[in-house]
Amino acid sequence: MRTTLADIAKEAGVSTATVDRVLNNRDGVKERTRGHVLAIAGKLGYLDDMLRPGASGAAIGGVPLDIVDLDIVLPGGTNTFINNLADRFADIAAIRPDVNLRIHSIEGFEPVLLAEKLEALRGKSQGVGLIGLDHPVVREAIRSLAGSGVPVMTLVSDISHVPRVGYVGIDNRAAGRLAGYLLGRFLKAETGKVALFAGSLSYRGHEEREMGFRHMLREEYPGLSIVELREIRDDTERAYSEAVALLARYPDLAGIYNIGAGNRGISRALQEAGREKSVVFIGHELTEHTRRFLISGTMDAAIDQNPRVEAREAVDRLARAARGEENPTGPATRLQAIFKENIPEV
């Protein structure tokens, strides 16, 4: 017996209309509900039925499957957000029968390795999504890949002056401005010293966050001075050692804005120095670690983007580009300030 929409609806506890919207990737369904319905569809074998050779219903929602080969290239390392994003792509790979999704991990701060990986995908991929440094060799590799007819989409951090078909991620300049606004409001002081941490300003997204932060301080909190900016390559241990040195050098440090990853290292340094309550700490991404830091008061706010939404949008838009459908543009992903009082459920 073939699994029906009614079977999925009954098992998932939703209406058949909701199941239809999910399977046809329409709006109007909460992300948690969408994931639940897709998981039930996979569990009941509905997606397998759609792929079975000779099946009369070799389609989803009546649309014939056109399977495309897509590749996602992400930086490796200890960045929890990136690892969560990779997991979300893996989830999609398991429930999207219309895409053959391959996920690659490359050393995030080695542009030559990334460029070589992109070159290796020529002739093997129908669409490539990547997080990469805004570096000449990376830009040239993207131009070469796009020139061969492969659509390229940037994720999380955009890359300038390349023929990409779209960008999926937040407005990083706005995120930096929000961080500056929050830090200034939390400090409630006309003057003070603050420090910045960044993975690498070779990431355009990190550079844009820094610019937005500086502009906000200059416009609204001119008495706050940035005393240092330290690049930590999104490494937890390096973040820790740099934060220890920073706190020792500035016993009167009032605030920290961490542009990228490394929140665990900075939080550890603040806690060991006994300054987790006196230094305002603003960072990015709601993870299993930042949840703890927010609850304990070590972090004051985390500016979050939704990796599940970004992965879904990236695959959907890249698949459409690979099929030559309409220009897969879209608005920036919504960003959200998370505090101890409004941490969402897992």
Side-chain angles (χ1 to χ4, degrees):
M1 293 285 292
R2 292 281 301 278
T3 301
T4 66
L5 298 190
D7 295 330
I8 299 171
K10 181 179 180 181
E11 181 72 14
V14 299
S15 68
T16 55
T18 297
V19 174
D20 180 71
R21 284 196 294 271
V22 170
L23 295 178
N24 285 285
N25 201 31
R26 298 193 186 101
D27 293 331
V29 183
K30 293 181 179 179
E31 283 304 310
R32 179 176 297 181
T33 302
R34 185 183 301 275
H36 177 60
V37 170
L38 287 172
I40 294 299
K43 172 185 172 183
L44 296 180
Y46 181 85
L47 303 181
D48 293 336
D49 288 342
M50 297 303 96
L51 289 172
R52 191 174 59 216
S56 60
I60 291 182
V63 179
L65 287 172
D66 177 14
I67 300 174
V68 292
D69 294 321
L70 304 180
D71 292 88
I72 303 295
V73 185
L74 303 175
T78 60
N79 187 322
T80 306
F81 170 76
I82 299 298
N83 293 333
N84 287 343
L85 183 63
D87 289 342
R88 301 294 76 76
F89 275 116
D91 291 342
I92 291 174
I95 61 177
R96 283 285 299 259
D98 62 319
V99 298
N100 178 25
L101 189 65
R102 298 171 296 229
I103 304 167
H104 311 267
S105 179
I106 300 294
E107 168 54 48
F109 299 94
E110 296 295 338
V112 173
L113 292 179
L114 175 56
E116 290 174 350
K117 168 55 70 174
L118 295 178
E119 289 288 353
L121 292 174
R122 290 182 61 180
K124 300 179 181 178
S125 181
Q126 293 174 271
V128 175
L130 77 149
I131 300 176
L133 299 176
D134 195 345
H135 188 279
V137 298
V138 176
R139 292 195 293 269
E140 192 58 34
I142 292 174
R143 294 186 188 110
S144 176
L145 193 59
S148 70
V150 179
V152 179
M153 178 168 288
T154 54
L155 314 172
V156 180
S157 179
D158 207 357
I159 297 176
S160 59
H161 309 301
V162 294
R164 88 290 194 268
V165 296
Y167 162 69
V168 174
I170 61 173
D171 181 335
N172 284 296
R173 189 183 182 98
R177 288 183 62 86
L178 176 58
Y181 175 79
L182 291 172
L183 187 140
R185 295 289 291 180
F186 271 111
L187 282 177
K188 299 179 181 178
E190 292 186 2
T191 62
K193 297 176 182 178
V194 301
L196 305 183
F197 287 81
S200 171
L201 296 182
S202 294
Y203 276 118
R204 180 174 164 184
H206 287 196
E207 182 184 34
E208 290 174 341
R209 290 178 188 178
E210 182 208 1
M211 291 170 57
F213 184 84
R214 287 183 182 274
H215 286 174
M216 176 55 70
L217 261 58
R218 185 161 56 246
E219 294 168 13
E220 301 291 338
Y221 310 104
L224 299 181
S225 59
I226 298 174
V227 295
E228 288 202 29
L229 190 160
R230 299 186 175 218
E231 294 186 71
I232 56 176
R233 298 173 69 90
D234 284 348
D235 180 81
T236 298
E237 289 304 315
R238 184 166 176 173
Y240 168 71
S241 61
E242 292 283 358
V244 168
L246 178 76
L247 293 171
R249 184 172 182 179
Y250 299 100
D252 57 345
L253 188 72
I256 291 175
Y257 171 39
N258 184 25
I259 292 172
N263 291 317
R264 279 176 286 170
I266 297 170
S267 294
R268 177 183 164 196
L270 286 169
Q271 291 166 351
E272 289 181 358
R275 296 172 67 180
E276 69 272 23
K277 301 297 184 182
S278 62
V279 176
V280 173
F281 179 21
I282 309 294
H284 279 266
E285 318 312 347
L286 184 64
T287 69
E288 58 184 294
H289 307 294
T290 56
R291 281 176 178 271
R292 295 201 311 270
F293 303 144
L294 288 168
I295 291 171
S296 70
T298 303
M299 281 186 80
D300 295 278
I303 298 171
D304 188 49
Q305 56 190 311
N306 191 320
R308 187 180 302 279
V309 171
E310 291 181 338
R312 178 171 61 84
E313 282 293 305
V315 172
D316 184 55
R317 290 160 58 180
L318 197 56
R320 296 205 311 269
R323 297 185 179 107
E325 297 177 9
E326 76 274 14
N327 186 16
T329 57
T333 304
R334 185 178 65 180
L335 57 87
Q336 181 180 10
I338 304 295
F339 311 97
K340 177 170 62 175
E341 292 78 9
N342 71 330
I343 297 175
E345 297 180 6
V346 178

